Amino acid sequence: MTIPPNSLVFAIDDDQSVRRGLRRLFKSAGYTAETFASAEDYLAREIFEGPICLVLDVRMPGLKGPGLQEALEKRGACEQIVFLTGHGDVPTATRAMKNGAVDFLTKPFDDEELILAVKRALERAEEQLRRRGERREARRRIDKLTPREFEVFRFVIMGLLNKQIAAELHTAEKTIKVHRGRVMQKLGVTSVPDLVRVSESAGVSPARKPA
Amino acid sequence: MLPDSKVRWVARRGRVELDGNGEPTWERGVLMDITERKQAEEKFRLATEASPSGILLVNDQGRMVLVNSQIEKLFGYRREELVGKPVDILVPERFGSQHPAHRATFFAAPTAREMGVGRELFARRKDGSEFPVEIGLNPIQTPEGILVLAAVLDISARKLAEAEALQHREDLGHLSRVAVMGEMAASIAHELNQPLSGIISNASAGQRFIDRGNVDLGDLRDLLADIVADGRRAGDVIRGVQSMVKKGAPVRQRVNLNDLVLNVVRMVKPDAVLHSCKMETLLDPNLPPIEADPIQLEQVLINLVINAFDAMRKTPLDRRKVVIATERNGDGTICTSVRDYGVGISEEARERLFDHFFTTKAKGMGMGLGIVRSIVESHGGTVTAENVAVGGARFHFTLPASGAAL
C-alpha cells in the first residue's frame, strides 16, 4: 500500500481516548496524523498545502454539516472527508456522501476498513491537488495572452482553420497565423490537442460550441 | 265460506253421539268463529319472519314452539328439526347443564330483559360450532300459558371488530415501546461506541507495531493502559444504564397480596373476556402483609397473566383458565402463583426464560419475564416456572412477609 507522499490525516473527535486510539492506529499504518477536539480547533490550524484526509465524527460538538463544509471551502485546503458515526444513521450518511464524503463508517469501525477509506481519501485529495495545480498553471499562462490572442485561442480550440478564423474576425489569414504562433508559444504547447487540454484545465470554453 | 264469499276460520268442538251399534248418529257441539285469532297469529308470524334477528318462541317446558327463518340460517337447522325440541340443543354443552336452572328462574318471575348480562353468551350450530350472541327475552301471555320470545343476535362481526381494535391498540403500544427502546439504544450505543472505538484503534495499532517489529515497550504499555481505561469506561456505561432503569429509592409500603391479586384480576378482565378465558383465584385468607411496591408487583402479575393468555391461544375455549393463588409457605414467605392451561414451557425456552430480550413470541420484546425477575429479586424474592403434569405452566414467585428477614 503506497501512501501519497507529504500527506496528512486529521481526525476530529471530542473524545480524548478515541483521539489517542486513532492517532496510534494511523501511525501504525504509516500515516502522519494530528487530532483535534473540535472543528474550530482544526480551522485554527495553519493551512496544510498537501493532500489531506479529514476523519470526522458526525456527532462532534461545534461546527458541522453545511457550515463546516462552507468554512472548509473558503479556507481552500485540499481535504477529502471520511465520516464516522455512532449509530447507523441513514439520512446523515446519505447527506454526507452527497456532499462528497469519501466514506461513511459506523463506530465501532473495523480498523482495516478505516485505513482503506483514509487511503482512498488521500488518493482522491492528491488527484484533486494535481488538477488544482494544473488549473492554476494553465490560468497563469492564459493570463499572459492579449485580448486578441485570447480571441484567436478560443476559435482555435473550436477546431477552425486559420482561413475560417480570419473570416470570423474580418482580418487576413496571415495575421491569424502570427497570433496562433504566439498563443502556442505563450501557453507552452506545440499541438492543437495540447492547446485543448490547457483550455480544459483552465476552464476556458471554445468561442462557440463545436458543430 | 260465507254467502258473500269471505273466508272465515272456525274452530269446531263437539262430540259424536253413537247409536246402539256403535255407528255415529249425530254430532253435538259448537262452532266458533276464530278468524280474529287466526289473523292475529298470521300477523305475528309475518312480523317474526321479517325480523332481522333470529326469533324463538319457547314454552315453559323449554321446548321451541316457533322459530323464524333467521334462526334456520343462524343455526343451520331446518324449522321442523327444531319445533318441539328442547331449546337446550342450541346451547353449547359447557353451558348446557346450567341452562334449565336459568330458564326455571326466568319463568318464575318472567320480565322482559337481556339474557346473561355481563356474561359472554355463545350459541351452538347444528355442526357443533359456536358463535357469540346477544339474546333478548320477552315473556308472552298466551292461552297455552306463558311463552318466552327470545330474539337472538349474532355478534361475531362486532366481536371481531372489537378484537381487531384491541389488536391495533396493542400494536400501537408495542410500537411506542419499541420507539422508546430505540432512542435509548441510540444513546447507549453512542456512549459505548466511543470506548469501543478507542479499544479497537489502540489494539489494532498495537498489533501493527508488533508486526512491524519496531515496538517500543513504553509505548505499548501506554497503549494497553488506554485499552484498560476504555474497557472500564464501557463498564461504567453499562452500570449507568442499570441504575437508570432502577431509578431512585425503592417504594416500600404495606401490601396485602390478596387485595393486589383481586385488583389485577379486575384490570385484566377485558383481556380475559377477549381471550374467552376464565379467571379464578385461590387466596389464603390469613395472609400476612408484605413490604413492597404495589405498582411493581401489579406489573409482575399482569405480565404473568398476559403471558398465560398468550400461552392458551390454541387451548380449547372451555379449557382456558388462569388461576392465581396465594399461600403461606410456613417459613415466613408467601408464594403467589399464576397457572395456565396453555402450551407449557419448552425445554429450549426453560433456561433463558427470564433473560432480557429472550422471547418466543413473534412480536415480543423479550422484556416481560426479565422485568418480572428484576422486580421480584429487588423485593428479596425468587421466581420460578414449571410445567404442570396435566398441561399448562405455573409461574410462582416467593416474597418474604413483612418483618421476615430478607
Side-chain angles (χ1 to χ4, degrees):
Chain A
M1 179 148 63
T2 54
I3 296 160
N6 189 30
S7 62
L8 279 184
V9 181
F10 295 121
I12 307 177
D13 199 296
D14 61 331
D15 194 305
Q16 198 202 346
S17 85
V18 174
R19 287 202 299 274
R20 287 159 67 120
L22 286 176
R23 205 158 52 222
R24 284 201 190 97
L25 178 61
F26 293 136
K27 186 180 168 197
S28 74
Y31 295 95
T32 313
E34 286 178 29
T35 56
F36 303 87
S38 70
E40 284 80 356
D41 285 1
Y42 169 63
L43 292 171
R45 186 200 187 275
E46 168 197 10
I47 293 177
F48 174 66
E49 300 288 352
I52 297 169
C53 170
L54 208 51
V55 179
L56 299 179
D57 188 319
V58 172
R59 288 176 75 146
M60 68 186 176
L63 201 54
K64 56 189 137 215
L68 176 62
Q69 203 99 22
E70 207 179 302
L72 290 177
E73 269 164 32
K74 212 159 104 192
R75 208 156 161 268
C78 202
E79 58 266 283
Q80 291 289 324
I81 301 175
V82 171
F83 274 106
L84 300 180
T85 175
H87 211 58
D89 174 358
V90 176
T92 318
T94 315
R95 220 176 312 124
M97 296 306 281
K98 263 189 194 153
N99 286 334
V102 175
D103 222 327
F104 196 97
L105 303 179
T106 310
K107 278 186 187 174
F109 42 80
D110 181 82
D111 57 310
E112 291 287 350
E113 247 179 85
L114 177 59
I115 287 168
L116 215 67
V118 167
K119 178 176 175 270
R120 269 202 304 276
L122 286 177
E123 282 168 355
R124 235 205 249 180
E126 195 186 27
E127 169 66 16
Q128 188 191 357
L129 205 62
R130 192 181 58 73
R131 277 204 311 272
R132 199 186 277 185
E134 279 175 5
R135 185 188 178 91
R136 201 174 292 148
E137 179 58 20
R139 280 268 179 212
R140 194 182 58 76
R141 291 186 192 173
I142 287 168
D143 282 347
K144 286 195 260 177
L145 301 180
T146 63
R148 190 62 166 181
E149 284 164 0
F150 187 68
E151 220 169 353
V152 172
F153 171 51
R154 293 182 68 210
F155 279 113
V156 174
I157 59 177
M158 246 180 86
L160 294 194
L161 301 171
N162 288 350
K163 191 162 60 180
Q164 292 166 311
I165 299 172
E168 289 281 346
L169 297 180
H170 311 291
T171 179
E173 190 183 340
K174 224 180 194 171
T175 318
I176 298 300
K177 201 176 169 189
V178 173
H179 282 314
R180 181 193 280 247
R182 286 214 194 102
V183 168
M184 302 283 257
Q185 187 201 347
K186 282 183 178 171
L187 298 188
V189 297
T190 50
S191 69
V192 175
D194 284 346
L195 208 58
V196 171
R197 226 163 281 137
V198 170
S199 74
E200 276 169 0
S201 293
V204 173
S205 56
R208 284 195 298 273
K209 279 213 159 87
Chain B
M1 175 106 63
L2 297 184
D4 60 2
S5 72
K6 272 188 186 147
V7 174
R8 297 192 73 82
W9 289 88
V10 293
R12 194 174 70 171
R13 183 184 290 176
R15 97 175 206 239
V16 178
E17 304 219 337
L18 308 176
D19 63 11
N21 299 323
E23 294 293 320
T25 48
W26 65 67
E27 185 190 307
R28 194 198 298 257
V30 289
L31 203 61
M32 284 174 293
D33 182 344
I34 56 163
T35 307
E36 307 289 317
R37 202 172 100 201
K38 206 68 193 170
Q39 280 171 349
E41 274 176 17
E42 179 64 10
K43 275 184 197 153
F44 179 72
R45 197 187 61 80
L46 286 172
T48 51
E49 281 303 313
S51 164
S53 306
I55 297 221
L56 285 168
L57 211 50
V58 180
N59 66 16
D60 56 357
Q61 302 303 306
R63 292 184 183 277
M64 292 174 269
V65 296
L66 176 147
V67 301
N68 70 352
S69 57
Q70 247 348 84
I71 290 284
E72 293 182 298
K73 262 188 242 164
L74 283 177
F75 288 86
Y77 286 100
R78 275 175 292 116
R79 206 169 294 223
E80 53 273 28
E81 291 177 290
L82 291 174
V83 173
K85 298 279 163 41
V87 71
D88 306 85
I89 63 170
L90 304 180
V91 180
E93 269 159 40
R94 63 198 153 101
F95 303 121
S97 58
Q98 307 141 19
H99 194 248
H102 284 310
R103 204 172 53 239
T105 318
F106 183 81
F107 275 100
T111 50
R113 65 173 174 88
E114 207 174 301
M115 185 169 153
V117 176
R119 278 187 295 135
E120 297 268 291
L121 295 182
F122 288 90
R124 183 174 56 168
R125 296 193 188 89
K126 188 182 180 182
D127 63 11
S129 60
E130 295 183 11
F131 59 103
V133 287
E134 256 174 27
I135 301 177
L137 300 175
N138 277 286
I140 300 176
Q141 297 287 348
T142 72
E144 294 109 274
I146 293 176
L147 294 181
V148 176
L149 180 82
V152 181
L153 194 62
D154 180 353
I155 56 169
S156 311
R158 197 174 80 202
K159 283 276 157 200
L160 195 67
E162 281 172 9
E164 277 171 2
L166 190 85
Q167 181 65 49
H168 183 62
R169 224 164 54 225
E170 279 178 359
D171 286 350
L172 281 180
H174 182 79
L175 273 182
S176 68
R177 279 200 304 280
V178 171
V180 169
M181 292 288 297
E183 279 167 33
M184 226 169 87
S187 88
I188 295 169
H190 177 72
E191 292 301 319
L192 280 179
N193 278 333
Q194 294 298 85
L196 288 178
S197 298
I199 288 170
I200 292 174
S201 304
N202 278 312
S204 50
Q207 286 173 330
R208 277 166 222 273
F209 287 137
I210 291 167
D211 289 347
R212 280 179 8 183
N214 62 348
V215 66
D216 177 302
L217 284 184
D219 287 350
L220 201 59
R221 187 168 293 116
D222 290 348
L223 182 154
L224 291 171
D226 278 356
I227 291 178
V228 171
D230 271 338
R232 292 227 168 91
R233 194 171 137 210
D236 288 343
V237 172
I238 304 280
R239 265 188 296 284
V241 171
Q242 281 166 341
S243 67
M244 192 169 76
V245 172
K246 281 177 195 153
K247 215 185 322 191
V251 174
R252 288 295 177 265
Q253 62 194 65
R254 201 157 266 253
V255 174
N256 181 320
L257 265 173
N258 287 346
D259 293 346
L260 199 123
V261 168
L262 294 174
N263 217 6
V264 166
V265 169
R266 224 176 5 257
M267 283 194 271
V268 300
K269 186 149 194 183
D271 285 275
V273 167
L274 198 84
H275 287 89
S276 308
C277 178
K278 267 189 276 182
M279 296 287 305
E280 272 179 23
T281 53
L282 287 170
L283 305 177
D284 182 338
N286 300 315
L287 219 54
I290 59 166
E291 295 289 323
D293 179 340
I295 307 281
Q296 287 192 345
L297 287 190
E298 278 173 3
Q299 183 73 59
V300 165
L301 276 170
I302 288 171
N303 285 3
L304 292 178
V305 171
I306 299 286
N307 276 355
F309 290 156
D310 284 340
M312 293 191 289
R313 287 186 188 280
K314 291 194 178 124
T315 304
L317 290 178
D318 57 340
R319 271 181 53 80
R320 291 186 186 180
K321 187 163 73 168
V322 172
V323 185
I324 308 181
T326 56
E327 61 180 325
R328 286 165 296 164
N329 276 342
D331 59 355
T333 62
I334 297 171
C335 176
T336 310
S337 64
V338 177
R339 187 233 196 286
D340 66 52
Y341 291 79
V343 289
I345 305 156
S346 73
E347 206 51 51
E348 312 89 78
R350 178 177 290 280
E351 281 186 14
R352 304 190 51 204
L353 209 53
F354 295 100
D355 289 357
H356 283 289
F357 303 115
F358 173 77
T359 185
T360 58
K361 301 178 194 174
K363 288 189 288 179
M365 291 276 292
M367 297 300 281
L369 289 178
I371 289 169
V372 164
R373 188 172 66 175
S374 301
I375 294 175
V376 170
E377 288 180 352
S378 75
H379 282 80
T382 53
V383 56
T384 46
E386 63 190 9
N387 283 324
V388 183
V390 296
R394 181 188 289 124
F395 284 78
H396 32 85
F397 58 92
T398 301
L399 296 172
S402 179
L406 288 189

